[in-house]
Structures are given as structure tokens and as C-alpha cells.
Amino acid sequence: MLRLLAPIGMDAESRPRKKQVLLFCGRSRLGADRILQSDIKFFDDLRSNRVLQRNLPDVLREIIERSHPEGITDNSWAGMGRGSICYCENCERKFRSKAGQPIPRRANWDDPAYRQWILWNYDRRTDLWELNNRITQAAGGADCIWSGMNSGSVTTQASSFRDLKAICSRAHIMMLDHQRRNDSTGFQQNGDTGKRVHSLMGWDKLAPESMAMYENGRTSYRVASKPAAEARMWMIAGMAGGIQPWWHHVGAYHEDRRMYRTAEPVMKWHKANEAYLTNRKPVASVGLVWSQRNTDFYGRDTAAESVDAPYEGFAQALIRARVPYLPVHAADIDREAARLSTLILANVGGLSDVECAAIRRFVARGGSLIATGESTLYNEWGDARPDFALADLLRVHVQGKPVRGRRGGSIHTYLRLHPELRARVDGPKTGKEPAATGQRHPALQGFEETDIIPYGGLLQPLRVDAGAATLLTLVPEFPVYPPETAWMRESDSGIPGLVVSEAAGGGRVAYLAADLDRRYLRELMPDHANLLANLVRWASKDTIPLHVEGAGLMDCHLYQQQGHTILHLVNLTSAATWRAPIDELIPIGPLRVRIKLPQGVSGRTAKFLVSTAPAPVTVAGGWAELQVKTILDHEVILLT
Ligand SMILES: [Zn+2]
């Protein structure tokens, strides 16, 4: 149990005064820390496996009475995770009174009792959230809130029954415990996290994130400095998504003192520019749909692969294409619809009828829809539907029984592009090539010199409605090795990989059966990212509010504030982009940036908030254009 009076890392004047200091209760401890009597009782109870809840209120009260914190945060507050089923007297009694049956003996997603147990556990954590707030507010006053820490990973939240949406609707401030990138999702995942929590709790609230100044990658070195560039980029990427930097060290004395230099420049920059970093609204035309329920009941025990990977792969393709996007909770589609032109279901398998109806309304009003993989093939319990719930929009139908996860794996397959064009492209000819007639769809732009792209997965047969166009089909598996056997036995199965159509409301609809989103995350094949980006550009028509030209990988976040437009450009280009840690920042530029001006912003004045270089800007046709000469770690453009 750690009791550390911790300023949350922002300057005192920058935060509501009542919330300047939060008390951090964790399971680790400072060597110099004193042990309270209640701590000893707490540890004893932990050892004897008694119920934490009976004792934690006393701990909270004692801390408040003795230390007068302005609020309390707390990690590992959610108790036992999904991996263990608790049969203690308390759980047995409470579950039985709620569900009218005993706690299930084993995990089984198809068992109604287990499903009830999952939902009951979520309710218990939400109850705990409210209970802890009642206690701290009773002991410390109305502003003495308790705000337990949360992860930036929905799958991690699900594994500990922390309902991100329910919590965000209750939290006055979101304390994030999400300390580092992983190699497959990069720094940009922190920007996604910021957007996700703000989309749930509102953009007027704060979401500080506990950022480690010590190394905690593949191996943890708790008392050695994290390479400064690695720590700095994680902070910057989070800030671009609306997260407030909040550094921490383990221990109060360090022999490696380099770590003390890391946070200061970031905090100083944040302080100088914080007027533009909070209380702003995101600007994006594309929404990536998600829900924790889908993570639980569709993702089940493989959510990292079936839920996270397609979402993150699609997000990565959007970032690579510099298309601003927003995470959209499946229950918030109606609320978000007005600002968006395109919704993306990246293998969102489990959606309820109500959620599907919201998507249908979005498309009926002229919105576009891109759905991939098993999207809408399951309901909110993860039970298979006989056909896509949105088959009428997607214009495709299942043939036979869906096989869960059939699209996974990695085998030697390809996707064939239609119409085929190689008869008119330089290269060897057999004379049997199909006549290169017809026009390719805009979704296939940039692939003019190839009739195939790598795939790697399987596809199930589909029936395609009349009027929809099949742009990709599966080339079935053939041997890889020995190399002389690597020739196509069957050039085209006819099984659809991509079907596009126009909806009655004027929106555009694409169903991408092939799991290129998930595959892009794993394999980083540019063909997959380019195809995903093409689909989004086609579906969005001309609604994407940002164009950035110039070499490099960057994460672009666009915001609006009273009288201002704010653009973050986070430079992700590095020798260590896909493998932490970065120890060298590599500058990019020049970049040509065009920003669509919202109502109330003339765009005649521009400022670079990082380089502070002069920023000449030209305005024409409702767009502002300017050049960014160079970006080392990030740049923030303020248009007024
Ligand atoms: Zn229990």
C-alpha cells in the first residue's frame, strides 16, 4: 500500500484548485513510507483473503482524516479479474440474490449463468466506484472525489470488469494508468486512448495519465531512466489525444538521475500552451466504432486478436493516411452521427439490434459505412446470427454457417483485383490474359500495375446482392515451398473479398470480407493500408478536413476551439517506430498542410506552438494552407 501525496504533474494553477492533490493508493510502496494501522490490517486481510471492501472504507477515511488530500486515486482497485471466479461467501450470496442461481463453476461464454456473472461483476465494480466516492466525499467534503485508475486498453478494462463507459459517465477526472506503448500499436495508441476517454466523458474534463520515467518495456528496470525520447514521445502522443501529462518515478531517491530531466521540458511546454490543449472539440469525419460489450462477448478469450487487432490495424491505416478519426462507442452513434460522414466497423462482430438500428439510421441519413470481417455477424451475447445483421446495407449474405475466426491464420493466399488490367501493363504475356477493359473502382487506385495483392487468410462464400460490385476475390491457397511449386493452381475462387455499393440515402457502403485491418497491424503490408485508406477516401467523399503532404509517418489530431483550429502533428518516424525504445528523434519535413476552416475561424493567422517559427498561411475556398519546414517530435499549429 503506497501513500504518496502526489501533485498530478500539472502546474497547480492549471487545475481546478479543489483537485490539486490526489492521493495515490497502490500496492507497491515507498521505502520511506510510514505504515498506517489500517495498512497493516489491510495487508492482513489481503493475506487472509477477507473482503477488501469491508476494510477499504476505513483506510480511505483514515487517510482523509490524517492527510486531508483533495482527492484520491487508486490503481488495482477493481479486485479479482475475469481470470478467477470468486466463490467467497459474499459473492455467493450477492450473486444468488441478483441472479437467482449459484455462481457458475467454470468459465463458459455460452452458459447464461456465466454471462450473468460477467455482467454482475461489472455492476459490482461500478457500485464500488460509487461507494468509494460516497465515502471520500462524506469524509473529505463534496470535492473530495475518489477516481480509480483505468487502462487505455479496452481488453484490459474488460479483463478486470472496469466498464469504461459507465466509469467515464461518473468520473469527474479520468486517471489513466497506461504507461507505455507496445511495438505493434506504437505511440499513436495513446492518442487513441485520449480521444476514446474524452468521447465518453466529454472534452471539458481532464484525463491525466501516469507516465513512467523509468524503463518498463520488455524488461522492467524500475530505478533506471527510460530513454528520454521514448518517455517524451509517449507523453506527446497522449497530449495530442487530449491527455494531460502526469509523470511518476518509483521511489523518491534515484542513483540514475537522468530521469529527472525527462518530464520537465514537456511539462513546461504543456503549461505554456495549455489554453489550447484542453476544452476543445475534435474535428474528424470518420468514426471507428467500438464497444466493451463486443470485447467481452464477441472477443471472449481472444479479444486481442478478434477485436483489438482489427481496430488498431484500421486506426493505423487511417493515421498513415493522415485521416483524422474518432473512436465512437456503439451506444453513441446517434449522438456522434451529425459530425461524421463515415462509420467504420473493424470486425465489430457483436452488435445488438439497437446498435445496428443506429447504424442503419446513420446510413439512411446519407452516411457511409465500411464494415470488415465478421462485423454484425453476432449479437450482443456473441451468439452467431444466421446472416449479417446489416446484410441489407452491406448487400452480402452468408452462405452456410459462419465459422468463428475462420479468417484468421496466415496462409499463402491472394486477392484478385477486378477488372484485371495486366494485358495492358508491361511484362510477359501468354495471350490468355483477360481483355483489359473497364474502369477500376476508386478503392483500387494505385494498384494499376497489379492484378493481385497479398492476402494470407481464408474467406467464406458469400451471396452478393444485385447492384453491388465485387472488387476483390480470393485466390485460393497454393504451396510456398519448394519455390518451384509456388504457382497458382486456381486463379480465382470467385469468393468475394470486397463488395461496394451505394446506399439509398446517398452514402457509400463497403464490405471488406478480407481481414486486411487485422493483417495490417500484424504484417504492415502497405497494400493493405493503402486499400483501407482508399476505401475511407471513397466513402467519405470530400469530407476529410485535413490534407498533409510530405514524407514520414505522423499522427494528426485536429481540434476546434472558440475562434481557433488546432492541429497536432506527432512525428512517429523513427528507426524504432515499431520497436521500443526510441533513443533518437529523426526530423521530418517539409510538409504541405491544408486544413478545412470551420465556421468562425478566418485562418488568416497561424502560429507554430512548438517551433515558434513564423507561419505564413494562405486562405482560399474555405481552406487554410501552410508549410511546416521541419518537425522533430511534434508540432502544433494554431489557426485563428
Ligand atoms: Zn468474492
Side-chain angles (χ1 to χ4, degrees):
M1 184 90 177
L2 165 71
R3 293 165 292 107
L4 171 63
L5 282 165
I8 64 168
M10 300 171 65
D11 185 278
E13 287 161 19
S14 69
R15 289 169 284 115
R17 292 202 61 82
K18 288 290 181 189
K19 290 168 194 163
Q20 278 170 14
V21 180
L22 288 109
L23 209 113
F24 184 86
C25 310
R27 288 192 300 207
S28 53
R29 41 180 301 226
L30 273 178
D33 212 26
R34 288 180 306 117
I35 303 278
L36 293 173
Q37 285 306 306
S38 55
D39 290 358
I40 295 165
K41 182 166 178 282
F42 178 82
F43 281 119
D44 284 348
D45 288 344
L46 209 59
R47 270 197 293 274
S48 64
N49 206 18
R50 277 180 228 150
V51 186
L52 288 182
Q53 272 168 262
R54 209 169 55 215
N55 304 299
L56 203 55
D58 289 339
V59 176
L60 294 173
R61 284 187 204 103
E62 186 181 340
I63 290 168
I64 290 167
E65 279 159 18
R66 295 174 64 139
S67 305
H68 313 292
E70 296 196 350
I72 290 186
T73 188
D74 179 347
N75 72 356
S76 306
W77 58 271
M80 282 172 72
R82 198 170 82 187
S84 321
I85 301 179
C86 180
Y87 298 100
C88 77
E89 191 187 314
N90 187 50
C91 288
E92 290 275 24
R93 180 173 48 80
K94 288 193 167 173
F95 183 75
R96 188 181 285 275
S97 79
K98 171 83 179 179
Q101 55 189 328
I103 292 174
R105 304 322 287 176
R106 69 185 68 82
N108 174 5
W109 291 100
D110 294 322
D111 173 9
Y114 184 70
R115 294 172 174 185
Q116 282 303 314
W117 180 79
I118 292 283
L119 297 184
W120 173 77
N121 267 290
Y122 272 113
D123 289 343
R124 296 292 305 126
R125 273 44 171 205
T126 307
D127 290 346
L128 196 58
W129 185 281
E130 293 180 342
L131 171 71
N132 287 344
N133 271 285
R134 284 198 300 276
I135 291 160
T136 57
Q137 289 179 317
D143 292 330
C144 187
I145 56 163
W146 177 95
S147 198
M149 296 181 81
N150 286 279
S151 170
S153 157
V154 178
T155 295
T156 302
Q157 289 287 106
S159 70
S160 53
F161 302 115
R162 289 175 289 176
D163 183 334
L164 200 55
K165 186 169 171 60
I167 287 169
C168 281
S169 73
R170 288 163 174 79
H172 300 279
I173 185 169
M174 171 58 65
M175 310 302 288
L176 288 164
D177 188 4
H178 190 53
Q179 300 187 14
R180 64 183 174 92
R181 65 166 164 156
N182 72 43
D183 288 340
S184 65
T185 54
F187 295 118
Q188 53 272 46
Q189 198 277 331
N190 212 20
D192 184 274
T193 292
K195 290 190 289 194
R196 187 191 303 270
V197 299
H198 283 296
S199 74
L200 295 174
M201 71 189 305
W203 286 86
D204 55 338
K205 301 226 173 84
L206 299 179
E209 181 181 81
S210 179
M211 294 161 168
M213 298 297 109
Y214 51 86
E215 182 56 34
N216 59 343
R218 279 171 209 84
T219 308
S220 282
Y221 299 105
R222 290 278 200 197
V223 296
S225 300
K226 186 189 285 258
E230 179 73 21
R232 179 180 175 81
M233 287 305 299
W234 183 248
M235 299 175 94
I236 285 170
M239 280 153 48
I243 286 173
Q244 285 72 54
W246 170 33
W247 48 268
H248 77 277
H249 304 277
V250 168
Y253 182 95
H254 305 93
E255 293 169 47
D256 180 349
R257 284 147 194 241
R258 295 172 296 179
M259 68 177 80
Y260 301 148
R261 291 186 183 279
T262 307
E264 185 188 4
V266 180
M267 305 306 293
K268 278 187 168 162
W269 182 85
H270 190 278
K271 167 65 184 160
N273 295 286
E274 67 186 354
Y276 307 115
L277 302 174
T278 55
N279 283 314
R280 52 193 192 171
K281 289 200 170 70
V283 179
S285 57
V286 174
L288 256 179
V289 176
W290 69 281
S291 88
Q292 196 158 333
R293 178 99 187 200
N294 177 57
T295 298
D296 279 314
F297 289 101
Y298 168 69
R300 301 189 172 188
D301 300 318
T302 58
E305 193 59 23
S306 57
V307 177
D308 298 349
Y311 177 96
E312 285 160 352
F314 217 126
Q316 185 52 44
L318 292 168
I319 289 167
R320 181 176 176 274
R322 295 127 184 209
V323 175
Y325 73 92
L326 283 177
V328 175
H329 192 281
D332 295 335
I333 288 170
D334 283 330
R335 189 193 72 197
E336 297 295 319
R339 72 166 99 194
L340 302 173
S341 71
T342 305
L343 282 179
I344 298 170
L345 304 176
N347 202 46
V348 185
L351 287 171
S352 68
D353 289 346
V354 169
E355 290 162 344
C356 289
I359 296 168
R360 210 174 260 115
R361 281 193 292 278
F362 177 79
V363 175
R365 287 194 294 257
S368 293
L369 176 67
I370 300 171
T372 76
E374 296 187 313
S375 293
T376 81
L377 258 182
Y378 297 80
N379 66 15
E380 68 273 29
W381 296 107
D383 291 330
R385 297 175 183 270
D387 197 358
F388 298 96
L390 296 178
D392 54 323
L393 293 182
L394 303 179
R395 314 290 294 276
V396 295
H397 304 272
V398 167
Q399 287 198 306
K401 199 169 182 285
V403 184
R404 186 185 283 271
R406 199 55 212 294
R407 292 161 181 82
S410 189
I411 55 175
H412 191 219
T413 61
Y414 296 80
L415 293 167
R416 182 162 299 283
L417 283 60
H418 300 276
E420 296 171 74
L421 301 179
R422 65 186 178 280
R424 68 176 188 223
V425 180
D426 183 38
K429 302 273 192 312
T430 63
K432 292 179 182 164
E433 291 83 10
T437 54
Q439 283 287 313
R440 284 233 177 122
H441 190 275
L444 304 184
Q445 193 181 359
F447 296 108
E448 291 76 13
E449 294 191 359
T450 181
D451 285 343
I452 57 163
I453 58 172
Y455 175 35
L458 290 168
L459 290 172
Q460 290 177 243
L462 293 171
R463 183 164 56 79
V464 178
D465 287 341
T470 300
L471 306 184
L472 299 172
T473 50
L474 177 74
V475 177
E477 185 178 17
F478 55 96
V480 173
Y481 192 86
E484 52 271 34
T485 66
W487 51 274
M488 261 176 220
R489 307 301 194 270
E490 185 184 347
S491 65
D492 190 354
S493 68
I495 297 175
L498 171 63
V499 176
V500 298
S501 56
E502 307 262 344
R508 293 169 172 174
V509 178
Y511 172 63
L512 181 67
D515 63 339
L516 302 189
D517 39 17
R518 169 167 41 207
R519 248 159 234 290
Y520 181 58
L521 190 81
R522 299 280 180 249
E523 300 170 7
L524 288 172
M525 292 295 295
D527 283 351
H528 295 169
N530 288 336
L531 194 99
L532 294 172
N534 281 350
L535 280 174
V536 172
R537 288 198 194 94
W538 167 72
S540 313
K541 301 179 184 171
D542 293 321
T543 62
I544 296 170
L546 177 72
H547 298 281
V548 181
E549 292 169 28
L553 178 64
M554 70 199 88
D555 192 10
C556 309
H557 295 254
L558 191 59
Y559 296 94
Q560 196 180 344
Q561 226 179 23
Q562 187 69 37
H564 305 297
T565 285
I566 300 152
L567 174 65
H568 287 250
L569 299 170
V570 180
N571 180 10
L572 304 170
T573 314
S574 167
T577 294
W578 301 115
R579 181 162 181 180
I582 279 187
D583 72 341
E584 180 186 36
L585 299 173
I586 298 173
I588 56 169
L591 304 167
R592 179 174 175 243
V593 177
R594 295 177 64 235
I595 304 169
K596 190 172 188 187
L597 292 166
Q599 288 269 323
V601 179
S602 75
R604 280 192 286 272
T605 312
K607 273 171 79 174
F608 293 131
L609 299 182
V610 177
S611 72
T612 67
V617 58
T618 56
V619 176
W623 288 73
E625 179 174 333
L626 67 171
Q627 198 191 61
V628 184
K629 285 209 176 69
T630 184
I631 300 178
L632 183 62
D633 47 7
H634 71 143
E635 186 54 272
V636 179
I637 300 169
L638 177 70
L639 278 175
T640 305

mmCIF file of all heavy atoms in Angstrom, residues 416-431:
data_model
loop_
_atom_site.group_PDB
_atom_site.id
_atom_site.type_symbol
_atom_site.label_atom_id
_atom_site.label_comp_id
_atom_site.label_asym_id
_atom_site.label_seq_id
_atom_site.Cartn_x
_atom_site.Cartn_y
_atom_site.Cartn_z
ATOM 1 N N ARG A 416 -7.658 -11.121 -55.765
ATOM 2 C CA ARG A 416 -7.614 -10.707 -57.176
ATOM 3 C C ARG A 416 -8.407 -9.422 -57.354
ATOM 4 O O ARG A 416 -9.509 -9.284 -56.818
ATOM 5 C CB ARG A 416 -8.179 -11.824 -58.069
ATOM 6 C CG ARG A 416 -8.128 -11.495 -59.546
ATOM 7 C CD ARG A 416 -8.280 -12.744 -60.412
ATOM 8 N NE ARG A 416 -7.204 -13.719 -60.185
ATOM 9 C CZ ARG A 416 -5.965 -13.604 -60.665
ATOM 10 N NH1 ARG A 416 -5.631 -12.560 -61.410
ATOM 11 N NH2 ARG A 416 -5.070 -14.538 -60.411
ATOM 12 N N LEU A 417 -7.835 -8.482 -58.079
ATOM 13 C CA LEU A 417 -8.473 -7.186 -58.309
ATOM 14 C C LEU A 417 -9.263 -7.228 -59.621
ATOM 15 O O LEU A 417 -8.772 -7.783 -60.613
ATOM 16 C CB LEU A 417 -7.410 -6.077 -58.390
ATOM 17 C CG LEU A 417 -6.785 -5.589 -57.073
ATOM 18 C CD1 LEU A 417 -6.077 -6.684 -56.314
ATOM 19 C CD2 LEU A 417 -5.834 -4.427 -57.332
ATOM 20 N N HIS A 418 -10.439 -6.629 -59.589
ATOM 21 C CA HIS A 418 -11.296 -6.624 -60.789
ATOM 22 C C HIS A 418 -11.659 -5.195 -61.171
ATOM 23 O O HIS A 418 -11.932 -4.383 -60.286
ATOM 24 C CB HIS A 418 -12.585 -7.417 -60.516
ATOM 25 C CG HIS A 418 -12.319 -8.846 -60.164
ATOM 26 N ND1 HIS A 418 -12.134 -9.837 -61.106
ATOM 27 C CD2 HIS A 418 -12.174 -9.448 -58.957
ATOM 28 C CE1 HIS A 418 -11.903 -11.001 -60.481
ATOM 29 N NE2 HIS A 418 -11.917 -10.792 -59.176
ATOM 30 N N PRO A 419 -11.713 -4.896 -62.477
ATOM 31 C CA PRO A 419 -11.311 -5.762 -63.591
ATOM 32 C C PRO A 419 -9.789 -5.897 -63.645
ATOM 33 O O PRO A 419 -9.069 -5.052 -63.152
ATOM 34 C CB PRO A 419 -11.842 -5.005 -64.811
ATOM 35 C CG PRO A 419 -11.873 -3.573 -64.400
ATOM 36 C CD PRO A 419 -12.181 -3.575 -62.939
ATOM 37 N N GLU A 420 -9.349 -7.016 -64.267
ATOM 38 C CA GLU A 420 -7.905 -7.268 -64.375
ATOM 39 C C GLU A 420 -7.322 -6.433 -65.515
ATOM 40 O O GLU A 420 -7.935 -6.273 -66.560
ATOM 41 C CB GLU A 420 -7.666 -8.761 -64.616
ATOM 42 C CG GLU A 420 -8.130 -9.592 -63.418
ATOM 43 C CD GLU A 420 -8.122 -11.082 -63.694
ATOM 44 O OE1 GLU A 420 -7.026 -11.657 -63.744
ATOM 45 O OE2 GLU A 420 -9.209 -11.655 -63.862
ATOM 46 N N LEU A 421 -6.139 -5.909 -65.295
ATOM 47 C CA LEU A 421 -5.574 -4.940 -66.241
ATOM 48 C C LEU A 421 -4.241 -5.369 -66.838
ATOM 49 O O LEU A 421 -3.672 -4.662 -67.662
ATOM 50 C CB LEU A 421 -5.378 -3.580 -65.539
ATOM 51 C CG LEU A 421 -6.614 -2.907 -64.949
ATOM 52 C CD1 LEU A 421 -6.221 -1.594 -64.283
ATOM 53 C CD2 LEU A 421 -7.675 -2.658 -66.017
ATOM 54 N N ARG A 422 -3.706 -6.536 -66.456
ATOM 55 C CA ARG A 422 -2.309 -6.821 -66.818
ATOM 56 C C ARG A 422 -2.091 -6.957 -68.317
ATOM 57 O O ARG A 422 -0.960 -6.836 -68.780
ATOM 58 C CB ARG A 422 -1.802 -8.058 -66.077
ATOM 59 C CG ARG A 422 -2.486 -9.379 -66.428
ATOM 60 C CD ARG A 422 -2.003 -10.504 -65.512
ATOM 61 N NE ARG A 422 -2.666 -11.778 -65.799
ATOM 62 C CZ ARG A 422 -3.882 -12.096 -65.362
ATOM 63 N NH1 ARG A 422 -4.581 -11.253 -64.639
ATOM 64 N NH2 ARG A 422 -4.416 -13.273 -65.666
ATOM 65 N N ALA A 423 -3.169 -7.195 -69.086
ATOM 66 C CA ALA A 423 -2.999 -7.301 -70.541
ATOM 67 C C ALA A 423 -2.421 -6.012 -71.114
ATOM 68 O O ALA A 423 -1.763 -6.028 -72.151
ATOM 69 C CB ALA A 423 -4.349 -7.615 -71.199
ATOM 70 N N ARG A 424 -2.657 -4.896 -70.388
ATOM 71 C CA ARG A 424 -2.132 -3.641 -70.938
ATOM 72 C C ARG A 424 -0.967 -3.080 -70.112
ATOM 73 O O ARG A 424 -0.576 -1.931 -70.291
ATOM 74 C CB ARG A 424 -3.244 -2.600 -71.072
ATOM 75 C CG ARG A 424 -3.800 -2.089 -69.762
ATOM 76 C CD ARG A 424 -4.826 -0.979 -70.023
ATOM 77 N NE ARG A 424 -5.230 -0.352 -68.788
ATOM 78 C CZ ARG A 424 -6.476 -0.038 -68.481
ATOM 79 N NH1 ARG A 424 -7.460 -0.285 -69.319
ATOM 80 N NH2 ARG A 424 -6.760 0.537 -67.338
ATOM 81 N N VAL A 425 -0.438 -3.907 -69.230
ATOM 82 C CA VAL A 425 0.696 -3.468 -68.412
ATOM 83 C C VAL A 425 1.951 -4.196 -68.886
ATOM 84 O O VAL A 425 1.910 -5.395 -69.197
ATOM 85 C CB VAL A 425 0.437 -3.765 -66.913
ATOM 86 C CG1 VAL A 425 1.627 -3.309 -66.060
ATOM 87 C CG2 VAL A 425 -0.842 -3.087 -66.452
ATOM 88 N N ASP A 426 3.045 -3.460 -68.954
ATOM 89 C CA ASP A 426 4.308 -4.026 -69.425
ATOM 90 C C ASP A 426 4.679 -5.273 -68.621
ATOM 91 O O ASP A 426 4.575 -5.288 -67.396
ATOM 92 C CB ASP A 426 5.412 -2.962 -69.282
ATOM 93 C CG ASP A 426 6.731 -3.467 -69.831
ATOM 94 O OD1 ASP A 426 6.685 -4.179 -70.867
ATOM 95 O OD2 ASP A 426 7.773 -3.191 -69.216
ATOM 96 N N GLY A 427 5.118 -6.322 -69.344
ATOM 97 C CA GLY A 427 5.511 -7.563 -68.676
ATOM 98 C C GLY A 427 5.260 -8.735 -69.605
ATOM 99 O O GLY A 427 4.723 -8.559 -70.702
ATOM 100 N N PRO A 428 5.646 -9.947 -69.198
ATOM 101 C CA PRO A 428 5.446 -11.121 -70.077
ATOM 102 C C PRO A 428 3.968 -11.386 -70.332
ATOM 103 O O PRO A 428 3.134 -11.108 -69.487
ATOM 104 C CB PRO A 428 6.090 -12.259 -69.274
ATOM 105 C CG PRO A 428 6.127 -11.777 -67.853
ATOM 106 C CD PRO A 428 6.259 -10.291 -67.914
ATOM 107 N N LYS A 429 3.681 -11.910 -71.527
ATOM 108 C CA LYS A 429 2.283 -12.188 -71.886
ATOM 109 C C LYS A 429 2.154 -13.636 -72.368
ATOM 110 O O LYS A 429 3.048 -14.160 -73.028
ATOM 111 C CB LYS A 429 1.839 -11.264 -73.035
ATOM 112 C CG LYS A 429 1.949 -9.762 -72.763
ATOM 113 C CD LYS A 429 0.707 -9.244 -72.078
ATOM 114 C CE LYS A 429 0.593 -7.738 -72.032
ATOM 115 N NZ LYS A 429 1.756 -6.976 -71.605
ATOM 116 N N THR A 430 1.036 -14.271 -72.025
ATOM 117 C CA THR A 430 0.741 -15.597 -72.575
ATOM 118 C C THR A 430 -0.273 -15.486 -73.692
ATOM 119 O O THR A 430 -0.498 -16.441 -74.427
ATOM 120 C CB THR A 430 0.132 -16.511 -71.496
ATOM 121 O OG1 THR A 430 -1.115 -15.942 -71.085
ATOM 122 C CG2 THR A 430 1.064 -16.665 -70.302
ATOM 123 N N GLY A 431 -0.921 -14.357 -73.800
ATOM 124 C CA GLY A 431 -2.011 -14.200 -74.751
ATOM 125 C C GLY A 431 -3.341 -14.634 -74.176
ATOM 126 O O GLY A 431 -4.393 -14.468 -74.781
#
